[in-house]
Amino acid sequence: MAAPLPPGSTIGVLGGGQLGRMLSQAASRLGFNVVILDPEENSPAGRVSQGQVVAAYDDATALTVLGKVAQVVTFEFENVPASSIERLAEAGALVAPGPRALAVAQDRVEEKTFLNSVGATTVDFAPVDSLDDLLAGLEQLGTPALLKTRRDGYDGKGQVWIRSAEMAADAWSAIGEKPAILEARAAFIRELSVICARGRDGAVAVYPLGENIHSGGVLKTTLAPAKVDAATETRAREIATAILNGLDYVGVLGVELFDLGNGKLLVNEIAPRVHNTGHWTQDGCVCDQFEQHIRAIAGWPLGPTEAHARVEMTNLLGDEVEQWRTLAAEADVRLHLYGKAEARPGRKMAHVNRVRVL
């Protein structure tokens, strides 16, 4: 991209869920047109966009069409087939973030190997391709240890804790005997996350840290800016910058961190996209993570990341969304509904930001 995309350009988004919806809304505020590609007809993102291509993410014709109408294509989830990215490139579209970031994020062994190579330390780990590998890994790392599939899996899915070697066979069976990674347990105080961005010119912007609280493997609440000391804040910024530059990244990236105390942080995982733990920025910052992502991929200057309010972000799962009447009446609450038709148990239906003056 030789110059910033002007307003009126078209941005393509792979994925029609809530993240795609909020990306589309941010892009529209900046004057861009948005076209969604998603297999679900009338998707949440499609309903707030200029148009939607209803097709599978690996549909060759649909990708060719999207690549021709969009000047840049991004995605709301990281499990996009590599062949889809190649097809878009052949059609002449830029894709951001690029294929390197996707390849790293799609394989947990590759991810941890890369992170350690740029000085973003993780827990100790071992690749697992068989029950014998798993037993050897348990001997190396000890118990308890966490077994995860190398690919896919989210919100606690595709993983199981192993508390003794006798559990190995059952754990291996529980994840479907798929290629996996075994991770040592981290003795952390709390989980933090940092949302960061890198522009096409290499500029880096980092938001204040958030503190995350999970329930049943699913993020429930993020408190931001997190109450951290200067050493922790500095280390998080160093980690974010190293990852962004190491991937030659363009766009917003989420980095999940284990806080061990005294400024020591381990990286849990990265997400090459806008992130649930960054939703607080919608009401806590002048430029939220969604606008920041659009700015980055379009070649615009990155926006400010300073917090002007303290925010408690809470996900509404399943039928919790029925609380919308009560929540809408609370003066300090900003309600963000995703437009999903069916409130299945555990499904992310909305989030609320409770705003406090700093």
Side-chain angles (χ1 to χ4, degrees), residues 4-11 27-33 71 298 300:
L5 289 180
S9 301
T10 297
I11 294 174
S28 296
R29 288 197 304 273
L30 298 181
F32 292 109
N33 301 312
Q71 284 69 63
W300 286 28

Side-chain angles (χ1 to χ4, degrees), residues 195-253:
I195 304 300
C196 53
R198 186 173 181 271
R200 291 197 174 275
D201 60 356
V204 170
V206 183
Y207 288 92
L209 286 159
E211 179 176 351
N212 305 316
I213 301 166
H214 290 79
S215 177
V218 180
L219 177 71
K220 187 58 182 174
T221 301
T222 295
L223 306 171
K227 295 180 179 179
V228 298
D229 56 30
T232 301
E233 188 83 41
T234 297
R235 179 58 184 145
R237 289 177 175 273
E238 291 172 349
I239 288 170
T241 301
I243 295 170
L244 291 168
N245 289 335
L247 292 172
D248 194 20
Y249 196 85
V250 175
V252 163
L253 177 83

